[in-house]
Amino acid sequence: MNKEETQKRYLELQDFSLQLKQLQEQLANLEAQIFEMQRTKESIEDLEKMKAKKEILIPISNGIYTKAELDSSDKLLVNIGADLMVNKSFEDTKKLIDEQIQELGRIINELNLELRNGSLNFQYMQREFQELASKT
């Protein structure tokens, strides 16, 4: 194998390594989304237990809150896309969150399988490259 082919293989190996890192980043982002959804569900459960007309703090941004009074309503406004909001019960909202968590879990499983297979392929490509590079 000549030097140009060795360099080409090396670049392919680097590109594949970058793809694996991107997969790892996607997995981390999805896991963070699941964590946030679980926290949201816990917040809904806390709201369910509160009495009407209770003063609560509403987060605006990191460390910034406003005071509000909890309405007696047992409904939440849920964004269903395109800035459309619908009223949903606490229970229906928690079910929706559970469904989203399950879907993200399914995607995470698929990405983990892809990452595992990609890692095996990367190890094979790496060994192959090292053998070829030692012959030039």
Side-chain angles (χ1 to χ4, degrees):
M1 176 173 266
N2 65 28
K3 189 174 184 175
E4 282 182 22
E5 289 179 46
T6 303
Q7 287 177 334
K8 181 182 173 192
R9 289 288 181 109
Y10 177 76
L11 292 174
E12 289 172 357
L13 193 61
Q14 292 300 313
D15 186 47
F16 198 74
S17 174
L18 180 62
Q19 290 174 19
L20 291 177
K21 286 178 186 173
Q22 289 172 340
L23 271 177
Q24 290 169 333
E25 288 173 11
Q26 288 176 352
L27 281 167
N29 289 336
L30 290 172
E31 288 167 354
Q33 285 180 16
I34 286 178
F35 177 76
E36 191 61 36
M37 287 178 167
Q38 289 168 335
R39 287 186 56 207
T40 299
K41 186 177 173 188
E42 290 170 7
S43 295
I44 291 170
E45 290 168 350
D46 290 343
L47 275 175
E48 265 183 305
K49 297 173 190 171
M50 289 185 182
K51 295 179 182 170
K53 305 298 180 195
K54 179 174 175 136
E55 190 175 270
I56 59 174
L57 295 176
I58 306 290
I60 303 297
S61 182
N62 281 344
I64 301 172
Y65 299 85
T66 188
K67 291 181 182 180
E69 192 173 280
L70 186 62
D71 189 1
S72 62
S73 174
D74 61 346
K75 301 279 184 191
L76 295 168
L77 288 172
V78 178
N79 186 338
I80 58 170
D83 290 331
L84 294 174
M85 306 286 260
V86 295
N87 283 315
K88 287 200 176 274
S89 69
F90 287 110
E91 202 57 41
D92 287 344
T93 305
K94 290 188 299 185
K95 285 179 186 175
L96 177 67
I97 291 169
D98 285 337
E99 290 169 5
Q100 291 171 342
I101 289 172
Q102 286 178 346
E103 178 64 17
L104 288 177
R106 185 189 63 74
I107 293 169
I108 285 172
N109 288 339
E110 288 175 8
L111 287 177
N112 272 324
L113 181 62
E114 193 175 328
L115 184 61
R116 231 177 289 126
N117 290 337
S119 294
L120 291 173
N121 286 338
F122 180 76
Q123 290 172 0
Y124 173 78
M125 288 172 65
Q126 203 171 27
R127 273 186 255 120
E128 186 179 66
F129 172 76
Q130 287 171 345
E131 288 174 10
L132 294 172
S134 68
K135 292 179 183 176
T136 53

